[in-house]
């Protein structure tokens, strides 16, 4: 568990090449912040005001199509109609950043996940954006980031965290230069814990320095760090939810949306897609729970960075693998496919184990498995450590020769299952309901699956915001099947490499094994049981493959 306070480690300046921003300059901490009242006034009136009317607005991305949308706030807690302003944002992480370039207009900070570059999109004061400003490269390794005035000099800064167990929860501060770019990063903490969310609500305690909110992955508990005060506010899992039952898919800072002088958060309900607003008081507690919209918002990406955790079964920030050793039906969880820990024998009667993504809506990855003797499909709900007792979620699954999970294929914000009937039959979509249940299936008649054998889900392999597939075709070639959204779901496959079956078996998705920001997959050499990682290039192809470990003969690999 993380310690009770942040360690202020300002002596260690981390070079931009090592942590992702090659920007000249050195950090110098200010002697004191500007007047808190003036900083607070600026934050309240301009921080997210994109159309210049004095009210905080909302910018977000529609998952299907990847367009960036703008909604004007009216100052009373409501937003106007949606206006599409830019396209091509399916591959982008987006953060509402305030005025990064000192022109008086609110801007966006984005990360292009294909190349890891950061860009500032300067606001034009009318709800649109000008030519983007390059703000740094190689930021692919960072799990989460946000923007706040951390040092109190009036310029918004960049704060990033790597929630992986190898990094120890490193927190880096990049001072804003006031021109849309940032200075060299300074490590300010190395004990933040295994975070999967980083949000800047504003200067909650009114001391002239921006504060930040984190969520701890394994427990899904929220903690507010009051800037330079080493005490933190423990907020539990519910962020002011009076029912203490909701799990949030997304949490973002919204400024003072309703004009009551308090900083607000916007959150989306993982099950219903409802949009909520919660408010901070000066002590950092959260209350004022308000429903803004009752449904539909899981189809959008709010302006916050949500890291890839589909394969992170122990929620330590690194992709894991699950395998069952058939000689004694013992299951194991492999951290990054190296460190092994037993997972009991709950998979001993299965002939198929697959990643299910967050199938229960609690922000933790789950598994599904099939029992061949009965054809029943079971859900193994992850709890951030291992899994809960399995629950049957369907019957008749022996009719399928491929069952895939882990991703949202129909853009409703809930993880689905794909399955193909034996003998090259129909490909079916089983929509997830977000609570460990499956809705009525529909046939994907427009998907060309003729001649495709072994399937594997792979996630967004080419960084266009759409989940993709891998398969082996009739020519014994590994094929990349790109998702395209809409009614057609997938494009025609593109061959990556051939003579597949004679060289590899046990094709499985694996997450980002090498921590380069691109999804990878694994395959086993049938001759000697060596496991290899195929490193994705972020464009739908493979850079190279490398051996991970040995001794994988006789394993069923998820």
């Amino acid at each position: 568990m993380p310690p009770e306070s942040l360690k202020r480690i300002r002596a260690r300046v981390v070079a931009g090449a090592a942590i992702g921003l090659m920007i000249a300059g050195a950090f110098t901490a200010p002697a004191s912040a500007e007047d808190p009242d003036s900083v607070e006034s600026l934050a309240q009136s301009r921080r997210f005001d994109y159309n210049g009317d004095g009210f905080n607005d909302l910018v977000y991305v529609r998952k299907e199509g990847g367009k960036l949308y703008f909604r004007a706030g009216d100052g009373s807690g409501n937003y106007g109609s949606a206006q599409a302003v830019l396209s091509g944002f399916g591959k982008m992480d987006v953060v509402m950043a305030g005025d990064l370039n000192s022109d008086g207009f609110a801007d966006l900070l984005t990360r292009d996940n294909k190349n890891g570059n950061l860009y500032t999109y300067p606001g034009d004061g009318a709800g649109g954006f000008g030519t983007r400003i390059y703000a740094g490269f190689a930021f692919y390794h960072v799990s989460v980031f946000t923007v706040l005035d951390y040092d109190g000099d009036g310029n918004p800064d960049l704060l990033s965290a790597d929630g992986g167990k190898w990094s120890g929860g490193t927190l880096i501060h990049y001072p804003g230069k006031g021109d849309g770019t940032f200075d060299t990063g300074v490590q300010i903490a190395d004990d933040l814990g295994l975070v999967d969310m980083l949000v800047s609500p504003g200067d909650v305690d009114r001391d002239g320095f921006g504060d930040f909110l984190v969520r701890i992955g394994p427990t899904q508990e929220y903690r507010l760090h009051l800037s330079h005060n080493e005490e933190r506010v423990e907020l539990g899992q519910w962020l002011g939810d009076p029912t203490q039952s909701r799990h949030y898919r997304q949490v973002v800072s919204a400024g003072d949306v309703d004009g009551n002088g308090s900083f607000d958060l916007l959150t989306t309900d993982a099950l219903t897609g409802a949009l909520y607003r919660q408010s901070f008081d000066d002590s950092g507690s959260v209350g004022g729970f308000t429903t803004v919209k009752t449904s539909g918002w899981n189809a959008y990406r709010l302006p916050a960075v949500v890291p890839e955790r589909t394969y992170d079964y122990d929620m330590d920030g690194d992709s894991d693998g699950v395998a069952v050793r058939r000689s004694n039906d013992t299951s194991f969880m492999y951290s990054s496919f190296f460190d092994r820990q037993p997972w009991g024998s709950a998979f001993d009667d299965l002939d198929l184990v697959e990643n299910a993504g967050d199938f229960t809506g609690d922000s933790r990855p789950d598994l599904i498995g099939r029992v061949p003797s009965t054809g029943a499909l079971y859900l193994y709900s992850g709890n951030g450590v291992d899994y809960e007792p399995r629950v049957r979620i369907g019957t008749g699954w022996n009719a399928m020769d491929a069952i895939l999970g882990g991703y949202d294929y129909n853009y409703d914000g809930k993880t689905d299952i794909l399955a193909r009937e034996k003998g090259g039959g129909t490909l079916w979509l089983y929509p997830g309901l977000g609570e460990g249940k499956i809705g009525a299936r529909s046939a994907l008649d427009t998907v060309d699956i003729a001649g495709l054998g072994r399937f594997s889900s792979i996630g967004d392999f080419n960084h266009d915001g759409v989940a993709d597939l891998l398969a082996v075709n009739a020519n014994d070639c590994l094929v990349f099947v790109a998702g395209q959204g809409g009614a057609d779901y997938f494009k025609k496959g593109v061959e990556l490499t051939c003579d597949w079956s004679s060289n590899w078996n046990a094709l499985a998705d694996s997450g980002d094994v090498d921590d380069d920001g691109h999804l990878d997959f694994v395959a086993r050499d049938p001759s000697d049981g060596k496991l290899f990682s195929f490193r994705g290039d972020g464009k739908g192809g493979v850079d190279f493959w490398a051996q991970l470990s040995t001794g994988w003969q006789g394993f069923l690999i998820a």
Side-chain angles (χ1 to χ4, degrees):
M1 295 294 292
E4 288 302 314
S5 65
L6 287 174
K7 296 178 182 177
R8 299 293 172 186
I9 310 176
R10 294 195 178 278
R12 285 188 284 173
V13 178
V14 182
I19 46 81
L21 289 181
M22 291 291 291
I23 302 174
F27 173 78
T28 303
S32 62
E34 293 184 1
D35 175 61
D37 290 335
S38 65
V39 173
E40 177 68 13
S41 176
L42 178 66
Q44 293 285 14
S45 64
R46 296 184 181 177
R47 191 177 185 216
F48 303 140
D49 177 15
Y50 288 94
N51 63 358
D53 63 358
F55 303 131
N56 286 289
D57 308 314
L58 179 62
V59 176
Y60 57 94
V61 177
R62 182 178 177 84
K63 292 180 181 178
E64 184 174 4
K67 287 187 176 180
L68 184 76
Y69 284 84
F70 163 78
R71 285 181 185 257
D74 66 2
S76 65
N78 299 311
Y79 295 100
S81 59
Q83 303 174 38
V85 290
L86 290 171
S87 59
F89 274 70
K91 64 178 180 177
M92 296 285 196
D93 288 319
V94 178
V95 174
M96 295 196 301
D99 184 11
L100 290 173
N101 64 349
S102 306
D103 64 355
F105 302 134
D107 308 317
L108 297 180
L109 183 66
T110 69
R111 175 173 62 184
D112 186 329
N113 286 307
K114 274 197 173 183
N115 54 32
N117 290 346
L118 290 180
Y119 298 96
T120 293
Y121 281 77
D124 63 6
F129 300 92
T131 303
R132 69 186 187 181
I133 300 168
Y134 171 75
F137 74 96
F139 218 64
Y140 52 78
H141 74 288
V142 171
S143 295
V144 287
F145 62 87
T146 191
V147 176
L148 72 166
D149 185 8
Y150 181 79
D151 53 26
D153 67 352
N155 290 325
D157 309 315
L158 174 62
L159 204 65
S160 74
D162 188 342
K165 69 177 181 180
W166 307 117
S167 70
T170 302
L171 190 69
I172 307 292
H173 167 226
Y174 304 86
K177 297 168 68 175
D179 60 0
T181 67
F182 303 92
D183 219 330
T184 303
V186 177
Q187 181 174 318
I188 57 175
D190 62 0
D191 57 1
L192 200 62
L194 306 176
V195 303
D196 69 352
M197 183 176 291
L198 179 63
V199 180
S200 55
D203 182 13
V204 174
D205 59 356
R206 321 286 175 156
D207 67 350
F209 301 97
D211 307 316
F212 60 94
L213 177 76
V214 302
R215 186 174 68 188
I216 306 303
T219 64
Q220 293 293 287
E221 294 176 316
Y222 296 87
R223 295 170 180 167
L224 177 66
H225 291 268
L226 296 173
S227 56
H228 295 250
N229 184 340
E230 292 194 354
E231 294 183 3
R232 67 190 186 198
V233 181
E234 304 286 349
L235 298 174
Q237 295 184 8
W238 314 118
L239 281 181
D241 167 25
T243 69
Q244 295 194 351
S245 63
R246 295 180 176 94
H247 292 278
Y248 303 115
R249 182 76 67 193
Q250 303 174 89
V251 178
V252 301
S253 175
D256 180 12
V257 179
D258 54 5
N260 67 353
S262 299
F263 287 104
D264 302 317
L265 295 173
L266 292 177
T267 59
T268 57
D269 190 306
L271 297 182
T272 67
L275 183 68
Y276 306 120
R277 185 179 71 251
Q278 292 104 301
S279 299
F280 287 96
D281 63 23
D282 290 356
S283 69
S285 297
V286 179
F289 192 91
T290 303
T291 300
V292 180
K293 297 289 183 181
T294 57
S295 65
W297 278 82
N298 278 339
Y300 304 101
R301 285 195 291 111
L302 295 181
V305 181
V306 179
E308 171 64 58
R309 290 289 187 266
T310 302
Y311 306 89
D312 186 8
Y313 299 108
D314 56 3
M315 300 298 287
D316 68 355
D318 298 297
S319 293
D320 309 312
V322 172
V324 181
R325 186 165 55 197
R326 279 307 185 201
S327 61
N328 58 7
D329 285 328
T330 301
S331 58
F332 300 93
M333 192 276 290
Y334 288 81
S335 181
S336 297
F337 290 89
F338 292 104
D339 296 337
R340 184 177 74 180
Q341 67 182 61
W343 259 27
S345 58
F347 305 137
D348 57 3
D349 57 349
L350 304 181
D351 71 338
L352 176 147
V353 181
E354 288 287 339
N355 179 280
D358 179 17
F359 203 68
T360 57
D362 65 355
S363 298
R364 302 178 178 103
D366 309 310
L367 292 166
I368 51 175
R370 180 179 62 189
V371 176
S373 61
T374 64
L377 191 69
Y378 286 88
L379 171 69
Y380 297 78
S381 299
N383 58 23
V385 179
D386 45 34
Y387 51 85
E388 302 293 336
R390 71 186 188 184
V391 176
R392 192 177 70 180
I393 59 174
T395 58
W397 288 80
N398 276 342
M400 305 296 172
D401 65 7
I403 302 173
L404 310 177
Y407 296 98
D408 175 18
Y409 295 102
N410 61 1
Y411 301 102
D412 66 353
K414 301 171 185 177
T415 304
D416 309 313
I417 294 175
L418 293 179
R420 185 187 60 181
E421 291 182 5
K422 289 181 177 179
T426 303
L427 184 65
W428 296 92
L429 171 69
Y430 292 80
L433 301 180
E435 52 186 355
K437 298 179 181 178
I438 305 172
R441 72 181 187 178
S442 60
L444 303 186
D445 295 327
T446 60
V447 179
D448 181 11
I449 61 171
L452 296 182
R454 186 184 296 117
F455 271 95
S456 179
S457 55
I458 189 62
D460 187 8
F461 198 54
N462 61 355
H463 289 301
D464 63 354
V466 184
D468 309 312
L469 301 175
L470 292 174
V472 178
N473 67 11
N475 298 325
D476 198 29
C477 298
L478 184 67
V479 175
F480 170 60
V481 184
Q484 64 179 350
D488 291 338
Y489 285 91
F490 298 101
K491 299 178 182 178
K492 185 175 175 146
V494 176
E495 293 181 352
L496 299 181
T497 182
C498 294
D499 297 324
W500 180 262
S501 299
S502 60
N503 293 294
W504 314 101
N505 64 7
L507 173 66
D509 42 343
S510 63
D512 181 12
V513 175
D514 58 350
D515 196 29
D516 68 349
H518 307 314
L519 293 177
D520 311 310
F521 60 94
V522 298
R524 178 178 55 204
D525 186 333
S527 66
D528 57 15
K530 292 178 181 177
L531 192 69
F532 287 78
S533 174
F534 287 71
R535 309 300 172 89
D537 63 4
K539 304 173 185 177
V542 177
D543 276 337
F544 63 96
W545 57 84
Q547 181 179 323
L548 284 176
S549 54
T550 60
W552 286 82
Q553 302 97 322
F555 276 90
L556 178 65
I557 303 173

